[in-house]
Amino acid sequence: MKTLFVLLLSLVTLPALANTETLIEEKLKAVDPSIPITLIEPSDMTSFYEVLLGSGEVLYVSEDAQFILSGKAYQITQENRLINLTEKRLSGMRLDAMQQVADSDMVIFPAKGEKRTRLYVFTDIDCPYCQKLHEEVDALNEAGVEVAYLAFPRSGPGGATASRMDQIWCADDRLAAMESALDGGSVKADGCQTPVLEQLALGQKLGVTGTPAMITETGDLLPGYMPAERLLPVLGIK
């Protein structure tokens, strides 16, 4: 009997959820046909749905699609703690996106000894603070942090920085090429197909607006430069 009840409940609930998601999408598209909807699903907030946009933004839309909330949403737990629901959603999205990037498409400085965590870094080789952060990579590697670089040329496609970063990804020794570039040196390599512009677009989608921008293995976004001694505790390494 219990199994039959669960089955009947699912038959009622699933179409209702689907109809609500369709209604929300139709309403949003009616306002702006170009709105880049990636995902619609029930929110932890009663009577509201989360709408994830291709831009990386999260909207909260009422079940009747009459009200839209934009910004951070928080939940107060029974222990009177605040949970940032928006960041919880975005961190999951960032982590999933990072896990989809092949190691062969990144420039990875491996941990020395036991690997304790990986730190993804969107970098621009002409950014002074990216160069400063790279000076901390040895200390991070020594502490067991693997640093995986992705390209984020701030000047955009067709710029000199993007062209130089293409050469890094085409180099036979990417680590040496990245070291040289971040130290202000030149990099020369034969042309090849690179993921530089794809990674620039990915960073923009994940909310990266400047460099360096770091993403942890829990999906947290850490913008800006941070010395190793401050960064390690953030990564859970004492």
Side-chain angles (χ1 to χ4, degrees):
M1 182 65 69
K2 182 177 179 181
T3 302
L4 178 60
F5 174 75
V6 171
L7 176 60
L8 291 174
L9 181 62
S10 67
L11 291 175
V12 173
T13 303
L14 290 178
L17 289 174
N19 290 339
T20 301
E21 292 166 6
T22 300
L23 171 65
I24 290 173
E25 181 172 6
E26 289 177 348
K27 285 283 190 178
L28 291 176
K29 290 290 188 180
V31 174
D32 182 358
S34 66
I35 190 168
I37 299 172
T38 301
L39 179 68
I40 301 175
E41 65 180 19
S43 166
D44 289 337
M45 294 192 297
T46 304
S47 301
F48 275 83
Y49 275 62
E50 282 184 350
V51 179
L52 184 62
L53 304 183
S55 61
E57 184 181 2
V58 179
L59 301 178
Y60 298 93
V61 182
S62 59
E63 290 180 340
D64 60 5
Q66 297 298 309
F67 300 94
I68 299 175
L69 302 177
S70 176
K72 294 181 179 179
Y74 293 85
Q75 178 182 15
I76 302 176
T77 68
Q78 292 182 341
E79 297 79 19
N80 294 322
R81 292 173 51 246
L82 281 179
I83 296 178
N84 187 332
L85 297 178
T86 308
E87 181 57 28
K88 180 180 176 182
R89 158 60 66 188
L90 291 176
S91 62
M93 178 189 72
R94 293 187 205 108
L95 182 56
D96 181 64
M98 290 296 93
Q99 291 175 339
Q100 300 303 313
V101 180
D103 284 3
S104 59
D105 283 340
M106 296 182 284
V107 180
I108 300 175
F109 286 79
K112 297 177 181 178
E114 179 188 0
K115 173 186 167 184
R116 302 178 68 180
T117 191
R118 169 181 278 188
L119 182 66
Y120 299 94
V121 181
F122 283 91
T123 192
D124 178 318
I125 55 175
D126 293 322
C127 155
Y129 281 102
C130 294
Q131 296 166 358
K132 191 173 178 62
L133 177 64
H134 190 69
E135 295 174 1
E136 306 290 328
V137 168
D138 276 345
L140 293 171
N141 291 160
E142 288 285 354
V145 180
E146 181 179 82
V147 177
Y149 278 121
L150 296 94
F152 195 88
R154 296 169 301 162
S155 57
T161 301
S163 178
R164 292 180 64 217
M165 296 194 80
D166 276 333
Q167 291 182 323
I168 293 172
W169 262 257
C170 290
D172 292 333
D173 188 340
R174 288 184 185 175
L175 296 187
M178 182 67 82
E179 291 271 14
S180 176
L182 285 169
D183 196 36
S186 61
V187 178
K188 292 184 179 180
D190 293 333
C192 70
Q193 190 73 27
T194 78
V196 168
L197 296 186
E198 291 179 12
Q199 292 178 3
L200 173 62
L202 174 61
Q204 292 169 335
K205 179 180 178 180
L206 297 181
V208 175
T209 56
T211 53
M214 300 171 282
I215 295 180
T216 70
E217 278 199 320
T218 56
D220 294 328
L221 175 62
L222 308 175
Y225 165 75
M226 193 180 300
E229 61 183 15
R230 284 180 49 208
L231 185 54
L232 289 173
V234 174
L235 299 176
I237 299 175
K238 304 296 184 180

